[in-house]
């Protein structure tokens, strides 16, 4: 727990760092700061949600149980006495960036890239058109998910098109194609399980604007589609390289093409749901008056520069639901600039740049630093690079403990905020396990901020 006890750092007290965002990037940053620094460091790990783990809780698909289990490992960093989890605090609302910076010696922004990228085509705002971020937030039980909009879009869906061929698109297609029995053992909120059990999806099309060689999904995730209990995976052989063409030089591409060839040998079974992977088609506009009824696409080829080039040949894919899964983008915090094109905070090796020059005591790690790429573990290396820059600046005297300040949590409470600390999170954790047990499940995610806070208050006797 951060305090003002004397220490070796600058002969006074530990270096105090605030980390904004308690997802994997923030937790790895806190871990690197407390375990690798040559001087004592204390970390306040802030999150706007009352829960830690960011995309590990609200992004990794709930049916990826092994991947989600990484939260057990991440929890160890939260248990470190030098780290204080401070949830339910929004920087920019509960405390300004300037105030936060005044409370600590350095701030590391690790709040990720929460926004979706639009397709910017006609019809995108029709009911029945969703961003993958909407659907993922909903099925993971994110408190800010727009439940009514997602459930309205899903009601009565028979055919769905997922635009994009990344791992998120595969997550979405898989969850839509799963049987209720396959989802029962996840920690999805009960209303999500109920809504998914009620759907009668006959076909999910996953659409790539370029070819299989340019797809960004990974082989393991692609291969996993074959294990779907209730759906057949199909690929049009015409979308694949000819059997007589040389094996792709890129090993990832070669492995993906091998898996896709296996899918191309499948045949559709009458009355059995299908997941169809289609390539060389780019979305042109969503069709429908009251809600989505189809997606118009243009056939493409891949030009010499690897870009999708339109052929002028169009077709309509009838569908009730279009989910765009074309990447995430980050946004600034009030008082923190973001490059609109890349959706990242300008930085050099993790040092935030303001007007092109490093800003004293401000750092960045994770997706808001490098963009929405990589797996959870990628953030470990990324966080270490940023922490190395921060510690080098501390060593060089660029950042120094600047006097005694009020404790951050005390300040937040005095301003009417309700910070959720580690023991409070433990109460939420226990409440979710207890909720799951009522239905014979290991855990049920609580999806309302008020229920999460009620669990905290009940445990604290408030
Ligand atoms: P992504 O890997 O960047 O994929 C985005 C997809 O959208 C690409 O296929 C891209 O095609 C396509 N796209 C972009 N703009 C488009 C447009 N206007 N029209 C049609 N298609 C368009 O992003 P992601 O799937 O959101 O994943 C984000 C990161 O999280 C990735 O690093 C991913 O591996 C990771 N992740 C990992 C897992 C896992 O390990 N299981 C699960 C989920 C996510 P082009 O290539 O043609 O631009």
């Amino acid at each position: 727990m951060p305090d003002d006890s004397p220490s070796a750092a600058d002969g006074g007290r530990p270096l105090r760092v605030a980390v904004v965002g308690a997802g994997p990037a923030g937790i790895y940053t806190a871990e690197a700061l407390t375990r690798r620094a040559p001087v004592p460091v204390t970390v306040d790990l802030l999150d706007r949600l009352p829960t830690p783990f960011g995309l590990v809780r609200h992004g990794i698909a709930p049916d990826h149980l092994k991947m989600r289990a990484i939260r057990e490992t991440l929890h160890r960093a939260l248990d470190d006495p030098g780290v204080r989890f401070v949830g339910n605090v929004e920087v920019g609302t509960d405390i300004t960036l300037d105030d936060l910076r005044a409370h600590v010696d350095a701030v590391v922004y690790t709040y990720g890239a929460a926004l979706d990228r639009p397709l910017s085509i006609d019809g995108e705002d029709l009911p029945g058109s969703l961003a993958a971020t909407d659907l993922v937030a909903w099925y993971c039980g994110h408190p800010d998910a727009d439940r009514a909009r997602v459930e309205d879009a899903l009601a009565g869906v028979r055919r769905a098109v997922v635009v994009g061929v990344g791992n998120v698109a595969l997550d979405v297609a898989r969850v839509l194609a799963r049987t209720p029995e396959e989802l029962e053992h996840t920690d999805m909120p009960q209303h999500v399980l109920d809504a998914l059990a009620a759907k009668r999806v006959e076909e999910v099309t996953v659409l790539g604007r370029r070819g299989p060689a340019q797809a960004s999904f990974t082989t393991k995730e692609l291969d996993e589609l074959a294990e779907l209990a209730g759906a057949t995976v199909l690929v049009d052989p015409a979308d694949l390289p000819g059997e007589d063409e040389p094996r792709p030089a890129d090993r990832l591409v070669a492995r993906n093409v091998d898996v896709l060839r296996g899918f191309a040998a499948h045949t559709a079974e009458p009355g059995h749901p299908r997941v169809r992977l289609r390539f060389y088609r780019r979305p042109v506009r969503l069709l429908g008056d009251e809600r989505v009824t189809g997606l118009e696409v243009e056939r493409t080829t891949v030009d010499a520069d690897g870009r999708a080039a339109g052929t002028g040949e169009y077709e309509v894919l009838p569908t009730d639901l279009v989910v765009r899964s074309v990447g995430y983008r980050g946004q600034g915090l009030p008082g923190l600039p973001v490059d609109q094109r890349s959706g990242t905070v300008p930085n050099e090796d993790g040092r935030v740049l303001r007007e092109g020059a490093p800003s004293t005591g401000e750092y960045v790690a994770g997706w808001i630093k490098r963009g929405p790429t990589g797996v959870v573990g990628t953030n470990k290396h990324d966080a270490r690079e940023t922490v190395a820059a921060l510690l080098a600046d501390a060593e060089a005297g660029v950042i120094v403990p600047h006097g005694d300040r009020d404790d951050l949590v005390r300040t937040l409470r005095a301003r009417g905020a309700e910070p959720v600390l580690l023991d409070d999170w433990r109460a939420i954790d226990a409440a979710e396990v207890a909720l799951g047990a009522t239905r014979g499940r290991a855990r049920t995610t609580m999806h309302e901020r008020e229920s999460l806070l009620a669990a905290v208050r009940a445990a604290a006797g408030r």
Side-chain angles (χ1 to χ4, degrees):
M1 151 106 42
D3 61 20
D4 296 331
S5 56
S7 83
D10 202 44
R13 56 164 175 78
L15 199 62
R16 281 202 215 147
V17 182
V19 175
V20 181
I27 294 180
Y28 286 131
T29 299
E31 185 183 64
L33 280 166
T34 50
R35 297 208 188 144
R36 300 173 81 86
V39 293
V41 180
T42 59
V43 176
D44 275 326
L45 178 58
L46 277 62
D47 204 288
R48 69 190 187 86
L49 293 182
T51 53
F53 306 128
L55 281 186
V56 168
R57 180 178 163 99
H58 292 125
I60 295 182
D63 61 336
H64 275 166
L65 299 186
K66 277 196 192 139
M67 247 185 248
R68 286 174 75 85
I70 195 166
R71 65 194 254 168
E72 312 305 330
T73 315
L74 295 176
H75 213 295
R76 277 186 235 136
L78 298 185
D79 292 331
D80 189 300
V83 176
R84 177 168 64 174
F85 172 64
V86 187
N88 200 34
V89 169
E90 184 145 9
V91 175
T93 307
D94 295 312
I95 185 164
T96 64
L97 205 56
D98 283 348
D99 266 2
L100 178 64
R101 292 184 64 191
H103 268 82
V104 293
D105 308 314
V107 181
V108 188
Y109 308 106
T110 57
Y111 60 85
L115 300 180
D116 66 283
R117 284 194 180 276
L119 290 170
S120 306
I121 58 175
D122 283 352
E124 204 168 10
D125 297 327
L126 279 171
S129 163
L130 294 177
T133 47
D134 296 328
L135 199 57
V136 171
W138 172 77
Y139 67 56
C140 288
H142 192 295
D144 296 342
D146 189 340
R147 183 175 164 188
R149 190 157 159 267
V150 173
E151 290 178 16
D152 173 69
L154 283 179
V157 165
R158 305 240 162 217
R159 282 171 297 198
V161 175
V162 184
V163 177
V165 281
N167 281 329
V168 172
L170 295 190
D171 282 349
V172 166
R174 214 178 51 249
V175 168
L176 289 176
R178 288 273 191 212
T179 61
E181 296 70 35
E182 286 179 293
L183 295 174
E184 226 167 58
H185 60 290
T186 69
D187 61 8
M188 284 175 169
Q190 193 58 45
H191 69 272
V192 172
L193 285 184
D194 294 343
L196 290 175
K199 71 179 169 30
R200 293 284 170 266
V201 175
E202 293 159 7
E203 183 163 288
V204 180
T205 300
V206 181
L207 200 71
R209 64 175 166 181
R210 299 187 290 158
Q214 291 81 30
S216 51
F217 46 59
T218 40
T219 313
K220 185 164 158 287
E221 278 61 34
L222 181 64
D223 211 10
E224 193 188 357
L225 292 179
E227 291 159 22
L228 285 172
T232 309
V233 188
L234 302 170
V235 174
D236 183 348
D239 282 352
L240 299 178
E243 295 281 2
D244 49 351
E245 285 181 44
R247 193 172 154 75
D250 183 303
R251 279 172 55 205
L252 169 68
V253 172
R255 283 200 299 261
N256 281 350
V257 170
D258 288 345
V259 175
L260 291 167
R261 277 197 212 292
F263 294 159
H266 294 169
T267 44
E269 295 167 43
H272 195 64
R274 304 166 291 279
V275 172
R276 203 181 277 281
L277 297 161
R278 303 188 81 177
F279 296 91
Y280 301 110
R281 286 163 177 87
R282 73 176 172 202
V284 176
R285 63 189 168 118
L286 282 74
L287 307 172
D289 296 324
E290 308 275 295
R291 54 185 303 129
V292 170
T293 56
L295 176 68
E296 185 176 323
V297 297
E298 182 182 14
R299 298 290 299 266
T300 61
T301 54
V302 175
D303 70 17
D305 296 325
R307 282 191 297 250
T311 61
E313 225 181 300
Y314 295 86
E315 66 184 292
V316 171
L317 310 179
T319 186
D320 321 299
L321 173 69
V322 173
V323 183
R324 60 181 181 279
S325 180
V326 296
Y328 290 72
R329 89 194 134 92
Q331 58 183 335
L333 287 176
L336 182 70
V338 71
D339 178 282
Q340 291 302 333
R341 199 182 44 81
S342 65
T344 57
V345 171
N347 74 93
E348 204 170 76
D349 301 334
R351 292 181 178 93
V352 170
L353 301 177
R354 287 186 185 261
E355 290 167 12
S359 166
T360 307
E362 285 192 295
Y363 303 85
V364 68
W367 276 9
I368 195 63
K369 170 187 175 187
R370 67 176 193 276
T373 59
V375 294
V376 171
T378 313
N379 294 297
K380 197 169 201 163
H381 171 78
D382 184 320
R384 284 183 183 176
E385 180 191 64
T386 294
V387 167
L390 188 157
L391 294 175
D393 290 350
E395 174 78 23
V398 176
I399 45 174
V400 285
H402 44 262
D404 283 341
R405 305 282 167 185
D406 260 0
D407 176 69
L408 180 63
V409 168
R410 213 164 32 230
T411 301
L412 286 163
R413 285 192 177 131
R415 292 178 185 187
E418 193 177 352
V420 166
L421 306 186
L422 188 61
D423 279 347
D424 303 327
W425 153 244
R426 287 192 206 285
I428 293 173
D429 196 31
E432 290 194 333
V433 171
L435 182 62
T438 62
R439 298 247 190 172
R441 306 168 70 200
R443 166 191 301 273
T444 297
T445 299
M446 296 197 309
H447 65 285
E448 289 164 320
R449 198 179 274 266
E450 271 315 304
S451 320
L452 296 164
L453 294 178
V456 172
R457 291 174 196 140
R462 292 202 293 270

